[in-house]
Amino acid sequence: MNEDNKTYDVMDGGASGMDTDKAKNSGKTLKRLVKALKPQAWQLSIAFAFAIAGVVMTLWAPEVFANAINLVFAGLMGGGINFRSLGEYVLLLGGIYAVSAIFMYIQEYIMAEVGQKLTLRLREQVSAKLARVPLKYYDTHKKGEILSRVTNDLERLNEIIKDAIMRLFTSFITIVGALILMFRINWILTLIAIGAIFLGIVITMLVGIKSQELFTNRQKSLGIFNTHIEESFSGQVEIKTFTLEKNVAKQANEAIDQLYEDDKKAQFIMFAIMPIIRLFNQIGYVVIAALGAMFVIQGRFSIGHIMSFFQYVQMSQEPLTEASFVLNSLQSAIASTERVFEILDEEEDVADVKAVRTLETPKGDISFEHVQFGYTDQLLMNGVNFEAKAGQKIAIVGPTGAGKTTLVNLLMRFYEISGGTIRVDGVDIKEMGRQYLRSLFGMVLQDSWMFDGSISENIAYGRHDASQADVVKAAKLARADYFIRTLPQGYDTVFNDENANLSQGEKQLLCIARCIVANPTFLLLDEATSSVDTRTEIHIQKAMDNLMRGRTSFIIAHRLSTIKNADIILVMDQGNIVETGSHEELLNSGGMYSEIYNSQFAG
């Protein structure tokens, strides 16, 4: 797009409005995440079943351990140890731990698959969504920010799904199961342990509230940093031309420093919670050890039971510490998930009518009837009217920001009009499917775009069934055949970073060849020859004249020498058509066109 569209960009700075919104709804996001996991409910059920079985086995182990200790103690006190029974206990313990490990491995494997499938599904939904959002979404959001959401945020969600959910679940049932077994041993010691656990829960809740804000800030800083990096990579020519390396480096360093500070705060709050909770756990452990020793001396229960009680205390406290760590990590995942869901909730293009119309034999008539449009609530165009007959060449001229590219965008339904009607061969374009409508047009923009692929594949991009002969013919018409054959592999040369030193003019020739091979009904040329030299422009103009013969063509041009032979020239200013006519008619009228023309050819 040219500068006409850039005039209406509403964002300025490192992040879009979506990033600056700090209002987060964790509950809503979690509910939506649970709903997204419904297709894999059966896998989750199996994983939870194996997790429960693994925890049960783990909780059983202290009971067996207590019996083994009592057996040894009784043997020492009674004069002999039953090593056969002791060996059975040892084998049983080994079997318990082995089976528990197998169960845990199975549930972790299943959860890893659940996380991967969810991430794949969300990535597919986001990719499809980005194809359905209107063009204004890309005008108002930075590429680095969108890339961060599609990659970093989804990957963080995957890590949490395959690890954190099950860790929280196993921590919960371990704590509950351990407390029940502890009550069976001694309720006084259990209440002391619960007091320590309660303090840990309170600390976890307080820190969790703060950590959500810090992780949200970190994700915002990451989006800003990605934007700076993307812009510095893509704008190296401009940066070096204006010797702004130091400025760009300074801005990048500021973004890095901010990301470092926000990440440091988030990581500190996440890791600091563990030693704090562990301190309270150890205090409770000391009190329990002292009272437990006294109860053993009093004969209230055996030494094996006090040993098993200590294990249950550890089982109830360590999962709490782990759960606290996971809950704080979960705040990061919630922030990431919300950012992904925000893309999925973006407004889409207005849906096509169900019974879309097509043209049996497209002729090429186009009419704008009282068309109104505005990027915001304020109208840019207010009552645009003109008519183009099949085969005519329509030139659009005017100062920067006059709305020239906007006019073409409306014709392609990149934006929906606010009022009025645009017709193609008498049919309202709103009654046509967008894909069908756009298939009628071939477009060459001021900024050339090439993808990683061979020269032939780039030229045939608009018509995948094009033969090699069609590609070569189009390249010759676009005056690109000669320089293509000078490349190392000719038409099979792969366009990538290694041969990105093609000139802008050469890339533009390839774009023109791409349009030629597509053989469209309508042509839209937005400063298509602005990047080539005057001599090449003359050759391309001749090829374009042959290509445009019999086709309705719209040409956006600043160099008026290229549109002298246009059938109709539309002169635009501030979004509206102020003059219409041929070159001679407008030149003789002494209006805006005459002023622009004379300013270019004065003297």
Side-chain angles (χ1 to χ4, degrees):
M1 301 297 168
N2 71 358
E3 57 268 44
D4 289 344
N5 265 359
K6 296 177 183 177
T7 304
Y8 302 100
D9 285 355
V10 297
M11 301 307 303
D12 185 21
S16 74
M18 290 171 65
D19 277 331
T20 57
D21 184 7
K22 295 183 179 180
K24 299 294 179 179
N25 192 329
S26 300
K28 181 180 178 181
T29 302
L30 286 174
K31 289 180 181 178
R32 190 168 179 179
L33 182 58
V34 170
K35 185 177 180 180
L37 285 167
K38 278 188 177 180
Q40 295 162 270
W42 65 275
Q43 285 183 300
L44 288 171
S45 300
I46 295 175
F48 284 132
F50 275 104
I52 293 173
V55 171
V56 169
M57 298 295 287
T58 303
L59 292 173
W60 183 22
E63 288 283 343
V64 177
F65 180 77
N67 293 333
I69 292 295
N70 288 335
L71 177 66
V72 173
F73 186 76
L76 293 174
M77 299 298 293
I81 300 175
N82 188 339
F83 287 100
R84 181 177 179 179
S85 297
L86 181 62
E88 291 176 353
Y89 282 129
V90 171
L91 289 176
L92 180 58
L93 278 173
I96 289 173
Y97 288 127
V99 173
S100 176
I102 293 173
F103 287 163
M104 290 301 178
Y105 170 79
I106 294 174
Q107 64 90 5
E108 286 179 4
Y109 180 85
I110 294 174
M111 289 305 295
E113 186 176 0
V114 170
Q116 289 289 348
K117 286 185 176 180
L118 175 65
T119 305
L120 174 63
R121 192 161 59 249
L122 287 176
R123 188 166 280 132
E124 289 174 343
Q125 292 176 6
V126 170
S127 298
K129 181 71 175 188
L130 291 175
R132 297 193 302 268
V133 295
L135 195 62
K136 66 180 180 181
Y137 177 80
Y138 297 98
D139 289 341
T140 56
H141 293 80
K142 301 294 184 179
K143 295 178 183 178
E145 174 220 334
I146 299 175
L147 181 63
S148 176
R149 297 188 182 210
V150 177
T151 55
N152 297 339
D153 289 335
L154 279 174
E155 196 57 38
R156 184 171 289 107
L157 174 61
N158 175 40
E159 292 295 327
I160 293 298
I161 289 296
K162 71 181 184 181
D163 185 44
I165 290 180
M166 196 54 64
R167 286 170 67 183
L168 283 175
F169 177 72
T170 55
S171 295
F172 174 75
I173 60 177
T174 299
I175 293 172
V176 173
L179 288 176
I180 292 173
L181 294 174
M182 287 162 62
F183 268 111
R184 289 178 54 193
I185 297 173
N186 187 277
W187 65 271
I188 297 176
L189 298 180
T190 303
L191 290 178
I192 296 174
I194 290 176
I197 293 174
F198 178 76
L199 287 175
I201 293 174
V202 172
I203 294 173
T204 301
M205 294 177 61
L206 294 177
V207 174
I209 296 173
K210 182 63 178 177
S211 65
Q212 181 178 358
E213 178 185 350
L214 294 177
F215 276 111
T216 300
N217 291 338
R218 187 186 71 170
Q219 290 306 107
K220 174 185 173 182
S221 298
L222 181 60
I224 295 174
F225 170 71
N226 286 336
T227 297
H228 278 294
I229 295 300
E230 189 276 332
E231 288 178 346
S232 63
F233 285 163
S234 61
Q236 278 299 307
V237 174
E238 289 80 1
I239 292 170
K240 294 183 183 298
T241 299
F242 295 101
T243 64
L244 295 173
E245 292 91 342
K246 292 184 178 180
N247 295 46
V248 172
K250 181 182 178 182
Q251 292 177 357
N253 287 334
E254 290 175 353
I256 293 172
D257 291 340
Q258 186 62 49
L259 176 60
Y260 167 76
E261 291 296 329
D262 290 337
D263 187 63
K264 182 175 69 174
K265 293 177 182 177
Q267 295 297 331
F268 173 79
I269 200 73
M270 182 173 64
F271 288 106
I273 185 64
M274 294 184 67
I276 296 175
I277 294 177
R278 187 169 283 113
L279 172 63
F280 284 96
N281 290 345
Q282 295 301 327
I283 293 174
Y285 196 83
V286 170
V287 175
I288 291 172
L291 288 178
M294 184 178 67
F295 290 158
V296 170
I297 294 173
Q298 294 174 351
R300 300 176 64 172
F301 48 73
S302 67
I303 189 171
H305 283 128
I306 191 61
M307 295 296 291
S308 65
F309 190 89
F310 285 150
Q311 292 186 51
Y312 286 130
V313 170
Q314 187 175 13
M315 284 184 179
S316 63
Q317 291 179 341
E318 285 301 321
L320 177 63
T321 305
E322 183 175 285
S324 303
F325 178 81
V326 173
L327 281 173
N328 284 285
S329 300
L330 192 60
Q331 302 303 321
S332 174
I334 292 174
S336 297
T337 306
E338 278 195 332
R339 284 160 55 86
V340 174
F341 285 157
E342 282 173 353
I343 293 182
L344 297 178
D345 292 337
E346 278 294 325
E347 179 184 354
E348 298 183 9
D349 276 324
V350 178
D352 290 324
V353 294
K354 293 183 178 180
V356 294
R357 296 183 59 179
T358 58
L359 305 175
E360 293 185 7
T361 306
K363 298 177 181 179
D365 294 339
I366 291 178
S367 63
F368 275 56
E369 303 171 3
H370 310 290
V371 172
Q372 296 179 328
F373 173 74
Y375 288 94
T376 61
D377 294 336
Q378 183 177 359
L379 289 179
L380 168 67
M381 294 182 177
N382 193 0
V384 172
N385 294 276
F386 76 87
E387 186 174 354
K389 296 297 184 182
Q392 285 187 326
K393 185 189 300 183
I394 299 92
I396 309 173
V397 301
T400 299
K404 303 184 293 296
T405 300
T406 300
L407 191 73
V408 172
N409 287 339
L410 295 180
L411 182 58
M412 296 278 284
R413 286 191 71 186
F414 289 145
Y415 294 90
E416 296 296 333
I417 59 177
S418 304
T421 306
I422 301 175
R423 300 184 187 276
V424 173
D425 288 349
V427 178
D428 190 338
I429 62 173
K430 289 184 178 180
E431 299 178 9
M432 299 181 181
R434 286 188 181 85
Q435 290 188 348
Y436 172 75
L437 173 66
R438 293 166 187 170
S439 71
L440 301 175
F441 292 85
M443 177 180 279
V444 180
L445 300 176
Q446 180 179 1
D447 298 323
S448 58
W449 174 78
M450 314 302 283
F451 61 90
D452 282 358
S454 68
I455 298 294
S456 293
E457 290 171 339
N458 270 278
I459 294 177
Y461 186 75
R463 201 182 108 206
H464 296 295
D465 61 344
S467 65
Q468 185 65 20
D470 294 330
V471 171
V472 174
K473 182 180 178 181
K476 289 181 177 178
L477 286 173
R479 300 299 193 271
D481 179 71
Y482 172 76
F483 86 81
I484 291 175
R485 294 187 184 278
T486 64
L487 297 174
Q489 285 82 39
Y491 283 87
D492 294 327
T493 301
V494 175
F495 186 88
N496 53 32
D497 292 338
E498 295 180 0
N499 55 32
N501 57 349
L502 290 177
S503 69
Q504 183 63 29
E506 289 171 334
K507 294 177 186 177
Q508 194 73 311
L509 292 176
L510 296 179
C511 290
I512 293 171
R514 179 190 296 164
C515 185
I516 293 174
V517 80
N519 195 26
T521 303
F522 303 91
L523 290 175
L524 304 175
L525 311 176
D526 189 347
E527 290 290 337
T529 61
S530 63
S531 298
V532 299
D533 58 85
T534 305
R535 186 169 180 271
T536 305
E537 180 186 17
I538 295 173
H539 291 297
I540 294 177
Q541 198 61 50
K542 292 179 179 178
M544 284 299 183
D545 288 341
N546 293 330
L547 177 65
M548 289 186 289
R549 187 172 293 116
R551 293 182 174 87
T552 308
S553 306
F554 287 83
I555 308 168
I556 297 176
H558 284 117
R559 287 188 282 188
L560 303 189
S561 60
T562 62
I563 49 96
K564 285 183 179 180
N565 61 345
D567 297 297
I568 302 174
I569 298 176
L570 306 178
V571 184
M572 299 193 67
D573 187 30
Q574 298 182 5
N576 294 298
I577 298 174
V578 295
E579 292 180 6
T580 305
S582 66
H583 171 71
E584 294 296 335
E585 291 172 347
L586 294 175
L587 200 60
N588 294 330
S589 68
M592 176 179 286
Y593 180 84
S594 176
E595 293 179 5
I596 298 175
Y597 185 84
N598 290 329
S599 67
Q600 291 187 9
F601 297 97

